[in-house]
Amino acid sequence: MLQIKNLSFGYSKTDVLSHLNFTVDIGENLAIIGESGSGKSTLLKLIYGEFDAEQGEIHWKDTKILGPKFNLVVGYDFMKYVSQEFDLMPYTTVEDNIGKHLSRFYPEEKKRRTQELIKVVELEAFAKTKVKNLSGGQKQRVAIARALAKEPEILLLDEPFSHIDNFKKQSLRRSVFNYLKEQKISCIVASHDKNDVLGFADQMIVLHQKSIIAKDTPNQLYNHPKTPLIASFFGEFSVINDNIYYAHQLKVVDHLEFKATVTKSYFNGQSWLIEADFNNQPIFISHHTKLNKGTEIHFEIDK
Ligand code: ADP
Ligand code: MG
């Protein structure tokens, strides 16, 4: 199990993380979410041992993670980290990048393992392509596969699918996260995309103003967001009488319950997102058709 105890860190003068406590079980998928600049990447780098903590401790099983002050070579064999800037070898092929750290004394095993991982990240068609000729998203996939090559016990992923196009994203997420579950590899995923989290994370941590403001399952946090910040991660919402409602929880109706005026409609596939003015506050309602600006509507809260 990964244990984070009373962890604090800052860059020179500015504090970034203050007194964090949490654990990650074997095989667990933990998501770290928070606004840009909230310290997600910093936290992953601390866990990886790239920085020295100002205060507190990090343990993986019985090993205490040490920063560069106490550990000449950053990192441990049981832990791999895929940063937002994946540093690959540009002039070698996808295969060679992934197999780089695998022993050349077992060529058959090396080949089998490399092929297996190429499949996990869905790059079969590019095995022999030089990395410099890949797109950003393809490079990101090579970096994930390379991190998995030597079977880490825990994997740290920083915005792992951010460069990958929507055509590929869904199936790739399933493939990678299912693989980690099957292999019982713990993972911590920093993300600002709810689709990286909702169907996959066992637990979520919300970072805000240096602290963990919530830790729970995606289901709990989605259904009972304690603050607008948490709700905003999941979708459009309105605050009515101090309660938070997602757009699909408000319904346009004939009779008068609440009255609002449409300001704009946005098509979003399954439905339209209606932005309306309610007592001089913007609210968002999901609706099956477009509504024109200025339309007076009534809505109710759908429970
Ligand atoms: P996130 O990944 O959530 O976007 P970061 O961990 O990258 O956030 O950054 C957290 C804060 O630390 C930000 O205010 C950022 O400007 C600052 N920061 C990040 N890296 C450095 C660095 N190497 N030196 C100084 N400040 C940094
Ligand atoms: Mg970051």
Side-chain angles (χ1 to χ4, degrees):
M1 166 159 88
L2 181 78
Q3 271 187 301
I4 309 286
K5 276 190 235 158
N6 197 29
L7 185 67
S8 298
F9 176 81
Y11 294 101
S12 53
K13 283 198 182 71
T14 44
D15 282 350
V16 176
L17 301 167
S18 169
H19 304 291
L20 305 192
N21 290 285
F22 62 92
T23 59
V24 185
D25 282 333
I26 310 268
E28 185 172 271
N29 178 322
L30 175 83
I32 299 175
I33 67 160
E35 295 163 300
S36 185
S38 60
K40 303 182 294 296
S41 297
T42 303
L43 177 55
L44 291 186
K45 287 174 187 168
L46 270 169
I47 295 172
Y48 188 61
E50 211 170 293
F51 301 133
D52 295 294
E54 219 158 73
Q55 228 188 82
E57 292 184 4
I58 303 166
H59 289 266
W60 173 251
K61 296 179 179 168
D62 296 328
T63 308
K64 182 174 175 182
I65 308 295
L66 301 172
K69 235 186 239 168
F70 305 95
N71 193 14
L72 280 178
V73 185
V74 169
Y76 296 83
D77 280 345
F78 51 78
M79 176 148 44
K80 282 285 173 285
Y81 165 53
V82 182
S83 72
Q84 280 177 297
E85 316 84 29
F86 15 89
D87 47 300
L88 298 166
M89 306 180 291
Y91 297 101
T92 43
T93 64
V94 167
E95 272 181 347
D96 290 345
N97 267 273
I98 294 173
K100 182 184 171 199
H101 300 294
L102 296 175
S103 173
R104 61 193 166 80
F105 295 110
Y106 303 98
E108 283 305 309
E109 171 58 16
K110 180 170 175 167
K111 197 170 160 197
R112 189 199 62 75
R113 181 82 184 127
T114 305
Q115 294 313 313
E116 178 185 37
L117 290 168
I118 284 181
K119 231 172 121 181
V120 171
V121 296
E122 304 177 344
L123 279 175
E124 291 95 328
F126 298 92
K128 310 272 184 220
T129 305
K130 286 195 175 123
V131 161
K132 73 175 170 66
N133 297 328
L134 297 178
S135 71
Q138 289 162 339
K139 285 181 191 150
Q140 196 162 27
R141 282 142 68 187
V142 177
I144 294 171
R146 192 184 56 184
L148 286 170
K150 284 184 83 180
E151 304 182 24
E153 296 174 43
I154 175 164
L155 182 65
L156 311 176
L157 296 172
D158 201 346
E159 316 257 359
F161 306 112
S162 57
H163 295 260
I164 292 157
D165 59 70
N166 279 325
F167 298 103
K168 264 261 162 256
K169 236 180 216 178
Q170 299 295 350
S171 85
L172 188 68
R173 276 192 191 104
R174 284 193 294 271
S175 175
V176 170
F177 288 136
N178 288 341
Y179 179 84
L180 297 178
K181 272 283 171 216
E182 277 159 24
Q183 306 293 318
K184 297 201 168 53
I185 298 170
S186 305
C187 76
I188 305 183
V189 185
S191 180
H192 55 234
D193 183 345
K194 66 174 187 297
N195 296 312
D196 288 348
V197 175
L198 274 177
F200 305 108
D202 299 301
Q203 293 278 321
M204 289 172 68
I205 278 178
V206 185
L207 276 184
H208 185 57
Q209 292 178 344
K210 301 175 224 164
S211 302
I212 294 174
I213 60 160
K215 176 169 190 268
D216 216 320
T217 60
N219 197 318
Q220 270 297 320
L221 289 186
Y222 177 87
N223 285 306
H224 308 284
K226 276 186 289 188
T227 66
L229 177 86
I230 298 173
S232 69
F233 179 72
F234 295 114
E236 299 294 348
F237 66 95
S238 316
V239 180
I240 296 169
N241 299 335
D242 290 334
N243 291 314
I244 293 168
Y245 300 103
Y246 295 110
H248 74 266
Q249 293 176 299
L250 302 184
K251 212 166 80 179
V252 176
V253 289
D254 291 335
H255 58 271
L256 195 141
E257 181 157 358
F258 299 111
K259 207 164 143 186
T261 310
V262 173
T263 48
K264 200 152 172 67
S265 292
Y266 306 87
F267 182 58
N268 64 16
Q270 287 170 327
S271 60
W272 290 77
L273 182 73
I274 310 297
E275 186 171 357
D277 181 274
F278 172 63
N279 296 342
N280 296 321
Q281 297 258 6
I283 58 163
F284 295 92
I285 307 180
S286 188
H287 193 60
H288 62 284
T289 57
K290 180 179 179 169
L291 295 174
N292 289 326
K293 184 174 174 188
T295 308
E296 296 252 308
I297 52 169
H298 303 295
F299 71 94
E300 65 176 14
I301 294 159
D302 192 7
K303 298 203 172 90

